[in-house]
Amino acid sequence: MRNVLAIADKELRSYFASPIAYILIGFFLLPFGVFFYLYLSTFVKQSLQMAQFGGAMNVNQQVIRYVLQNASVIILFIMPMITMRTYSEEKRSGSIELLLTSPLTDVEIILGKFFGALGLYIAMLAVTLLYMAILFVYGNPEWRPLVAAYLGLLLMGGAFISIGLLISSTTSNQIVAGVVTFVVFLLFWIVGWFADTAGPTIGPITSWLSITEHFDDFSKGIVDTKHVLYYLSLITFGLFLTAKSVDTERWRG
Amino acid sequence: MLKRILGLLGWLGVALVFAAVAIRFLKPEYQQYYNGLAIAGLVCTLLYILSQWREIGQSFSGRQARYGSLAAASVLVVLGILVAINYLSNKYNKRWDLTAARQFSLSDQSRKVLQDLKEPVRIRVFARSQEFERFRDRLDEYTYHSKQVNVEYIDPEKRPALAQADGITQLGTVVFEYAGRKEKVTSDSEQELTNGLIKVIQGRQPKVYFTQGHGEKDTVSAERSGYNSIGGALTSDNFVVEKLVLAQATEVPADADVVVIAGPRTDFLAPEIDLLKAYLARGGKLFVMLDPVLKPDSPQPAQLQALLKDWGIDSPNDIVLDVSGMGRLIGTDESVPVAASYPAHAITQEFSLLTAYPLARSIAPIEGGANGRTAQKLIETGPRSWAETDLKSLSGGQPAKMDGSDKPGPVSLGVAVTGPATNAPAPKEPPKPGETPKQVEARIVAIGDSDFASNAALGVQGNRDLFLNAVNWLAQQENLISIRAKDPEDRRITLTADQERLIFYLTVLIVPGLVILAGVQTWWRRR
């Protein structure tokens, strides 16, 4: 465990030592801020109009839910840039040989890299909490659905990272890793679109495959074991395949 | 060469997927195109991966084959275990609703109905794709509480055949199907949905009585003026259609959900009117269609007109003429007023089809209502129409024209009114504490024409739907259970213009800008 944390720490440091982490977080916050502002200002306008009719206006269901659903799509675009370098960089520079011959086990290395990337992702989410704080300053949102939504974001990010790690471990070219990861994420997202038009047997399968679809319940403030297990399975499978891929490297020479 | 083509295929797949995503955002209505593009992209990428596998396969030969097949087997085992776990977790899941109002949780009553389900219920939601989420928020909980519930979401614009098969005339309709029976609900509230579920399980068919004895339209007549098509449409909409001779009855049957008076040629007698009044007092539903009296010397149906007046409905002795020329589109003249837009009412909600009324009289709400009942307009003709009161000159063959005594258009052709039942039967069980006792309501729909639903006129687009909508609205049974709507808690935000501007700068410019600046600073330091 100590080795895992040491690698995670090293990974995280290397992200923040270069401008990459800041640029990624910055470019994530830009569209996030736009979505946040647009949903909030519409909500404020509606609040004013509804004041006459007396309907209920809920900042959790009308702002936070949709902002975070949109955030899940931005994450889908940003995440390949976080994971693309994890293995490819080491393969290109040759430092992978050092890692493979070190006393560290493959599993420790993989988990270390996974938690390193997750750390950067958590930092990214932490900044968005500033935005949520604005809502608490000017209003009175519920905090429990918010916790559910961030738990969902964390799990979804983990699933993205484990897939990204796997793809990065198969190539020594960062750009190829990034593009392939991006396309795979897009495909995982797109399959969800077919759910409504596909038949009653294919439909549930495609919507089950879609990574972002499982986040919708979290964004409402619902925690469902099936979504939690889905994300955990995806993370496990991604990391397991990464281990196999790294192992293959070894016996293929 | 082949390798180069396969390499291109990979990039082509990527490009296609990107194009699909772009179209999805820019032109969401082109669904068939972006779905096709996405599938094509998927196929290309898969082909590319397959072509790469040939190389991977080569490395599996010989010494490494054993490792390779071991690895592949272990991957398959892990995949199998994970799929099994997910399959089970989809069946035996547990949900926690963390909202303070528990707004996504069902009430005990709904849960009990769902847990008692013995046979599968199929629920079909007909709405625009963008509206699905509204229904999903509710119906996801129904599927959670019973494995017998199966929900399908259908956009009638994309799959019109399915909508037609269920006879959908209104967007936002939910169809419950249980043991071959169907029940429609046009709401996403828990109360309406659960009541629809209870009704489809109980399988009671609402009864519609057509009065007889005054030359009313006949529900079995196949003549041009007959009503057998609309009678068939009612039957297929789960109604039982029967005839009722009021003059021989001592009261309107207790099982009547709607009584229809379809274009009587003679007036009702006082005892018959008394039966109808008693029926309305217990919360009856009445559908009156009064044709104009064309012969100037014939008597008007004064008794019926007086009954309507009691309920805030004015039915003057006139005939509505329409010179807008819209009727020419469907091959009629000015004696057939045409309506294309409808005042807001539950019956005509989301209804935009053309309806035509051969020989109609005007039916309008009385200003300010009567006896505390205020009628609402349902159907209005266009501005180039009027209600002609001078029936004498009209029957004399003179060309019709608008003059001072006529009411200018738009003319109201139909109204609907509701009022509390003054003599409602006592409920079978006393209301539980905390529940409001159920209000029993009487309803009347009155239309100044009966021919619009006859076999000859049903060819006009909207006539059939309008008639069915009206009967459906009237037959809406009292809700079997009442569930207090769980609205989300009111947590609003009010901002001054300055605060809003501050938030804009903070969220869109300052915070992202600071983070990017920090990045530039690290870069600078590293140089």
Side-chain angles (χ1 to χ4, degrees), chain A residues 17 22 41 47 55 57-59 65 131 140 142 182 196 217 220-226 229-230 233, chain B residues 18 86 89-90 93-96 98-100 133 136-137 159 489-492 500 507 515 519 526:
Chain A
Y22 302 97
S41 67
S47 291
M57 295 294 291
N58 187 294
V59 64
R65 174 175 176 181
Y131 290 65
N140 175 30
E142 298 170 36
F182 188 36
D196 296 328
D217 270 344
K220 289 196 272 191
I222 290 178
V223 178
D224 191 324
T225 50
K226 70 177 175 196
L229 276 173
Y230 167 83
S233 316
Chain B
F18 275 106
N86 275 278
S89 79
N90 263 307
N93 58 334
K94 178 105 185 67
R95 281 165 91 84
W96 293 276
L98 298 185
T99 56
E133 193 174 39
R136 233 178 227 133
D137 278 355
R159 298 159 87 185
E489 287 192 347
D490 193 49
R491 287 161 188 273
R492 66 183 65 206
E500 210 176 311
T507 57
V515 174
R526 264 164 62 116

Side-chain angles (χ1 to χ4, degrees), chain B residues 107-264:
Chain B
S107 67
D108 292 342
Q109 292 121 306
S110 299
R111 280 215 292 267
K112 191 172 177 322
V113 174
L114 288 164
Q115 274 149 16
D116 291 347
L117 273 177
K118 296 285 180 301
E119 278 177 73
V121 178
R122 296 190 55 186
I123 303 177
R124 284 186 290 274
V125 177
F126 291 91
R128 291 200 189 91
S129 323
Q130 304 93 292
E131 297 276 298
F132 285 168
E133 193 174 39
R134 190 159 63 88
F135 290 95
R136 233 178 227 133
D137 278 355
R138 198 74 68 188
L139 290 169
D140 275 357
E141 304 304 316
Y142 282 73
T143 48
Y144 171 52
H145 285 292
S146 171
K147 302 297 157 211
Q148 303 280 18
V149 177
N150 191 334
V151 190
E152 225 183 309
Y153 296 87
I154 296 158
D155 187 337
E157 279 158 19
K158 287 172 189 158
R159 298 159 87 185
L162 286 175
Q164 208 149 41
D166 273 326
I168 302 299
T169 56
Q170 213 174 333
L171 283 169
T173 302
V174 182
V175 178
F176 291 85
E177 193 179 331
Y178 180 86
R181 295 190 292 266
K182 279 185 197 171
E183 182 72 38
K184 285 179 200 160
V185 171
T186 50
S187 163
D188 63 352
S189 78
E190 191 192 340
Q191 164 155 330
E192 300 291 327
L193 290 172
T194 300
N195 278 302
L197 188 61
I198 295 175
K199 281 174 202 163
V200 79
I201 294 168
Q202 292 179 344
R204 204 185 84 84
Q205 289 179 296
K207 257 188 180 167
V208 180
Y209 283 95
F210 280 75
T211 59
Q212 299 289 301
H214 297 280
E216 291 99 330
K217 294 283 190 294
D218 189 346
T219 50
V220 291
S221 162
E223 283 171 46
R224 280 175 64 74
S225 67
Y227 254 31
N228 74 331
S229 309
I230 204 75
L234 282 172
T235 313
S236 69
D237 236 15
N238 202 24
F239 286 98
V240 177
V241 178
E242 286 200 19
K243 292 183 182 178
L244 171 66
V245 184
L246 273 180
Q248 295 168 352
T250 51
E251 61 165 8
V252 175
D255 63 352
D257 289 281
V258 183
V259 172
V260 183
I261 303 173

Side-chain angles (χ1 to χ4, degrees), chain A residues 40-60:
Chain A
L40 180 63
S41 67
T42 319
F43 178 75
V44 168
K45 263 190 218 97
Q46 281 174 348
S47 291
L48 277 179
Q49 286 166 1
M50 289 301 274
Q52 303 157 10
F53 302 108
M57 295 294 291
N58 187 294
V59 64
N60 284 84

